[in-house]
Amino acid sequence: MVEGYKNKIIKLYRDHVSSGKVEFYTAIGFDLIIGRRHGPWIYDLDGRKKLLNCHCNGGVYNLGHLHPEIKKALLDALEEGIDIGNHHLISENRALLAEKLVELTPKEITRVTYGVGGGEAVDYAIKLARGYTGRYKIIYAKGGYHGHTGLALAAGDDQYKRPFEPLAPGFISVPFGDLDSLSNAIDNDTAAVIFETIPATLGMPMPPKNFYKGVRDLCDDKGSLLILDEIQTGLGRTGKLWCFEHYGIVPDIFVVGKGLSGGLYPITATLYKEELDQFMRRHPFIHVSTFGGAEIGCRVALKVLEISSDPSFLNHVNQISYRLRRILDEVMTNYNDILTEIRQIGLFIGLKMMDEGYGPLLAISSYNHGILAVYANNDRSVLQFLPPLIIGDEELIYIRERLMAAYNWAKEHKEYLELIKMML
Ligand SMILES: Cc1ncc(COP(=O)(O)O)c(C=O)c1O
């Protein structure tokens, strides 16, 4: 690589894409530009840095980068002459992907609407809930995150929406995991309750025992719908194909994104129960998306589902999760003055620390020690830790060594905590 090329890219990005991001990253000494990538690994553009991708874009790289079978599915589809298709027409690839999605979900869920991004798919879920119930109220978790589009944004944290107000009315927040607050908020005007099955941006707080049974009962009692956002928790991340399977309930609507793309072609899906089709049947053209469920993306997603739903794959995720837990316990034993709680279900992991400066400090330290991981923006005391689901023992050894070193560095540099908190 020609010396200075990386700096040229940083300057171009600052001048034409985002000056604010470049200023922020420069201030915290984080200068990664992703270059080569394969499997669970990414390399800096200048080739000097190798990182284990434990950010995974929140699950986009569940199967690692450029998974050979997914890449082949994409190339084969192109060779066959498949392109985006026409979203208004009946489509072979959209139909076949829907068949597979429905086959992999509880029997009540029979319908699929496609999107390009997660926010769009959540918007659609909320539109469907309002359209079907004829009600307006939407209850969501305080500090949760469903995307930056219109209705999804209205169901998110205040910090992201204030500059854009007034947003859609009728959105009411409750603390996640608090059935009493939900019970007080829900009424006969409530179209839906929407939660990330476990809220990632809130730092992966685990739902209390029987929480979801209680939520399901409250929704049924009031005739409100339950929407679960499985954009980060779905597709095997938690050791089951869908996270809600852990809680013995079936949502009325759920949303899948990120990993469905295989990291190669953007595609999302909103899945819902048969009876909700009554509304869409009356209004089949009321919601369209030109690129939503692009045929070429359907081929990619089909392969992602085939791999992710294989029992031996899910078994692998559970085995690795178990072994990783032992490593994390060891880290906690050594650094219990920093790391206070391991929030883990499968490979969906939040490392909860003593102070809100530690999330960012550990993100920087991990980066400097060869692991890419980010803090939870709505609870900065948590480092989100999402390794690709395909990692094996070699990567576990790497994680143990590098994470220990990252914690050790953080322990020796506590003086940065206040500075970091001032900057964020
Ligand atoms: C739980 C959850 N829901 C929705 C979204 C929005 O998805 P997208 O960025 O594809 O619009 C995200 C993105 O991070 C997410 O993590």
Side-chain angles (χ1 to χ4, degrees):
M1 166 133 337
V2 180
E3 198 59 40
Y5 181 67
K6 184 171 169 180
N7 287 338
K8 179 183 162 187
I9 295 297
I10 293 174
K11 182 177 175 332
L12 285 174
Y13 198 89
R14 187 192 63 214
D15 292 351
H16 305 300
V17 185
S18 175
S19 51
K21 273 189 192 168
V22 171
E23 269 167 31
F24 173 73
Y25 288 138
T26 307
I28 61 169
F30 180 84
D31 62 350
L32 175 66
I33 302 176
I34 300 179
R36 195 162 70 82
R37 56 210 93 176
H38 70 86
W41 302 101
I42 53 179
Y43 299 80
D44 196 1
L45 189 61
D46 60 15
R48 286 186 196 149
K49 216 165 171 51
K50 178 183 175 186
L51 296 151
L52 186 67
N53 190 352
C54 295
H55 175 227
C56 275
N57 301 19
V60 170
Y61 298 107
N62 277 344
L63 302 178
H65 291 268
L66 294 155
H67 189 291
E69 287 177 55
I70 300 171
K71 187 171 160 189
K72 181 170 182 310
L74 179 67
L75 293 175
D76 286 352
L78 278 173
E79 279 302 315
E80 255 179 64
I82 305 290
D83 56 16
I84 281 163
N86 183 321
H87 59 300
H88 291 301
L89 305 181
I90 297 169
S91 143
E92 178 190 9
N93 287 295
R94 287 176 173 92
L96 293 174
L97 177 62
E99 179 191 38
K100 184 73 181 170
L101 278 163
V102 163
E103 181 195 312
L104 294 172
T105 56
K107 62 177 187 327
E108 301 92 314
I109 307 268
T110 57
R111 299 274 158 189
V112 182
T113 294
Y114 298 110
V116 181
E120 175 190 350
V122 169
D123 274 10
Y124 175 72
I126 294 174
K127 284 166 79 174
L128 181 62
R130 283 183 164 176
Y132 173 75
T133 60
R135 302 173 177 188
Y136 71 97
K137 260 197 198 174
I138 303 293
I139 300 175
Y140 65 98
K142 192 170 168 35
Y145 178 70
H146 299 286
H148 287 304
T149 50
L151 298 171
L153 182 64
D157 199 65
D158 285 350
Q159 61 175 312
Y160 307 114
K161 46 191 194 190
R162 270 207 198 97
F164 310 113
E165 285 173 343
L167 297 176
F171 284 74
I172 295 157
S173 69
V174 294
F176 182 75
D178 180 347
L179 272 183
D180 288 341
S181 297
L182 180 60
S183 168
N184 289 334
I186 196 167
D187 61 21
N188 294 333
D189 291 323
T190 306
V193 173
I194 179 167
F195 292 137
E196 292 160 81
T197 312
I198 303 171
T201 310
L202 196 51
M204 289 100 161
M206 295 294 143
K209 200 165 182 296
N210 290 329
F211 174 66
Y212 273 115
K213 285 229 161 73
V215 173
R216 183 68 273 179
D217 287 348
L218 285 171
C219 287
D220 290 345
D221 192 42
K222 295 290 178 205
S224 310
L225 301 178
L226 174 59
I227 305 172
L228 289 181
D229 177 339
E230 288 261 341
I231 288 174
Q232 291 219 22
T233 51
L235 295 168
R237 170 59 58 186
T238 68
K240 291 190 186 281
L241 189 60
W242 313 116
C243 184
F244 61 75
E245 292 175 52
H246 291 281
Y247 307 113
I249 52 119
V250 179
D252 300 292
I253 306 175
F254 78 99
V255 185
V256 189
K258 294 203 186 269
L260 195 62
S261 69
L264 287 179
Y265 199 95
I267 181 166
T268 58
T270 306
L271 289 96
Y272 48 101
K273 287 185 176 167
E274 180 61 25
E275 59 261 34
L276 274 60
D277 189 51
Q278 287 166 22
F279 176 76
M280 286 314 290
R281 198 165 170 183
R282 291 198 301 276
H283 310 282
F285 297 100
I286 206 165
H287 177 93
V288 292
S289 170
T290 302
F291 301 121
E295 297 211 27
I296 189 103
C298 288
R299 287 296 190 88
V300 164
L302 205 55
K303 185 51 81 180
V304 167
L305 288 172
E306 203 181 294
I307 297 169
S308 315
S309 64
D310 188 322
S312 65
F313 174 79
L314 291 171
N315 188 36
H316 167 82
V317 175
N318 287 307
Q319 296 279 330
I320 289 291
S321 315
Y322 177 75
R323 295 212 280 277
L324 179 55
R325 178 55 187 244
R326 294 215 303 245
I327 291 170
L328 296 175
D329 281 339
E330 209 185 323
V331 176
M332 191 155 78
T333 306
N334 282 292
Y335 298 98
N336 59 10
D337 51 338
I338 302 179
L339 178 56
T340 55
E341 185 188 340
I342 298 163
R343 299 174 172 173
Q344 180 181 13
I345 179 162
L347 289 175
F348 188 74
I349 299 166
L351 301 177
K352 169 89 177 157
M353 287 167 286
M354 292 285 277
D355 184 279
E356 61 170 14
Y358 272 122
L361 190 64
L362 254 301
I364 293 167
S365 181
S366 298
Y367 171 63
N368 289 328
H369 290 89
I371 292 177
L372 183 67
V374 301
Y375 55 91
N377 212 27
N378 296 345
D379 180 354
R380 292 177 179 160
S381 64
V382 177
L383 185 75
Q384 299 175 331
F385 200 76
L386 302 174
L389 307 182
I390 51 154
I391 59 168
D393 284 327
E394 188 191 325
E395 287 79 20
L396 286 180
I397 292 167
Y398 181 94
I399 288 174
R400 184 182 175 282
E401 182 195 314
R402 302 304 175 103
L403 207 55
M404 287 283 192
Y407 269 92
N408 200 43
W409 185 89
K411 189 179 169 125
E412 285 170 4
H413 292 84
K414 285 184 179 164
E415 72 274 12
Y416 289 138
L417 285 177
E418 291 312 312
L419 183 68
I420 282 177
K421 283 194 276 188
M422 264 163 48
M423 282 169 63
L424 292 172

